[in-house]
Amino acid sequence: MKRIAVLASGQGTNLQAIIDASERNELAGVVVIVISNCAAAHALKRAETHRIKALFIDPSAYSSRESYDRAVVEKLREAEVDLVVLAGYMRLLSAFFVESFPLRIMNIHPSLLPAFPGTDGIQQAYDYGVKVTGCTVHFVDRGLDSGPVIVQEAVPVIQQETVATLEQRIHAAEHRIYPTAIDLFCRDKLRVEGRRCYIVDK
Ligand code: GAR
């Protein structure tokens, strides 16, 4: 069983999907720690409900991005995690953090990358008027939403729909692909060569 850390800043619905998959034995890994940069993050409550160690680390107590990340990395090392999963973690990682876990940090983004990176990926796609959008799980590198793509799911934009209904369908797709990508990692089935992430049979 691989040991997974989840970093989340908000609602934590992706965290919940990951915990649920693990509890249904659909994941060759277990969430051992949840860390948030927001005291009020509902993700922390979800962790506590499932008796998972939940930590709020306060950014205002640190003078720089890197010193904050050093504190987070220390907790991740103490918890002996194999994989760091960003699930709605609304902070850029420092180079120090990324280099501490090479190809062992995943992120989920609510668009088909490389389209619409950054914040508000769903609104950006909606406003652009695309016919298809979706979500992407990727490894984290030093750029913004730019690392090798692991899994994507396309979501069609229905004529006349609101951004709220599109968001619901993208979230539902996220809750399918994130556990899938994490399970592939936990089973050592991901191989990265350059930009390309291959799914291999061991
Ligand atoms: C998700 O839709 C995720 O794709 C997005 O935040 C949401 C978190 O929801 N992440 C980003 O936009 C990162 N750039 P959750 O807290 O309910 O899992």
Side-chain angles (χ1 to χ4, degrees):
M1 279 285 181
K2 292 276 202 294
R3 296 171 63 82
I4 300 165
V6 178
L7 273 52
S9 304
Q11 268 304 309
T13 64
N14 279 285
L15 166 67
Q16 190 68 54
I18 296 161
I19 294 171
D20 291 347
S22 170
E23 291 186 350
R24 288 194 304 263
N25 295 320
E26 291 169 7
L27 215 58
V30 60
V31 180
V32 294
I33 188 168
V34 173
I35 298 178
S36 184
N37 60 323
C38 297
H42 189 57
L44 291 171
K45 295 265 179 315
R46 294 182 192 266
E48 283 161 8
T49 303
H50 291 265
R51 294 185 165 65
I52 296 166
K53 184 170 182 174
L55 276 184
F56 161 57
I57 304 182
D58 185 354
S60 70
Y62 297 85
S63 59
S64 68
R65 183 178 305 282
E66 180 167 327
S67 61
Y68 180 80
D69 281 359
R70 281 185 186 274
V72 174
V73 166
E74 192 179 314
K75 294 294 176 195
L76 298 173
R77 295 239 186 266
E78 275 171 27
E80 297 184 331
V81 305
D82 301 297
L83 175 67
V84 180
V85 168
L86 309 183
Y89 186 61
M90 296 308 188
R91 266 181 84 86
L92 289 176
L93 301 189
S94 61
F96 169 79
F97 194 146
V98 174
E99 283 156 16
S100 297
F101 294 95
L103 293 179
R104 289 192 292 139
I105 309 172
M106 280 184 192
N107 182 44
I108 191 152
H109 183 76
S111 73
L112 292 177
L113 291 171
F116 312 120
T119 52
D120 288 331
I122 301 172
Q123 186 77 49
Q124 286 186 58
Y126 185 82
D127 292 346
Y128 194 91
V130 294
K131 305 281 182 182
V132 179
T133 180
C135 48
T136 303
V137 180
H138 64 94
F139 281 117
V140 173
D141 65 8
R142 289 185 54 180
L144 175 67
D145 298 327
S146 61
V149 170
I150 304 167
V151 184
Q152 293 185 301
E153 184 171 325
V155 175
V157 182
I158 298 166
Q159 281 200 62
Q160 319 286 5
E161 80 171 325
T162 64
V163 72
T165 60
L166 176 62
E167 184 169 283
Q168 277 173 12
R169 295 201 324 290
I170 290 178
H171 283 161
E174 290 188 331
H175 302 159
R176 285 189 289 274
I177 67 169
Y178 220 175
T180 300
I182 294 167
D183 186 54
L184 288 168
F185 177 93
C186 291
R187 293 181 196 279
D188 293 321
K189 289 191 173 214
L190 300 178
R191 290 281 169 278
V192 177
E193 286 174 28
R195 282 219 46 88
R196 213 165 287 275
C197 178
Y198 294 94
I199 297 171
V200 297
D201 261 324
K202 272 200 69 157

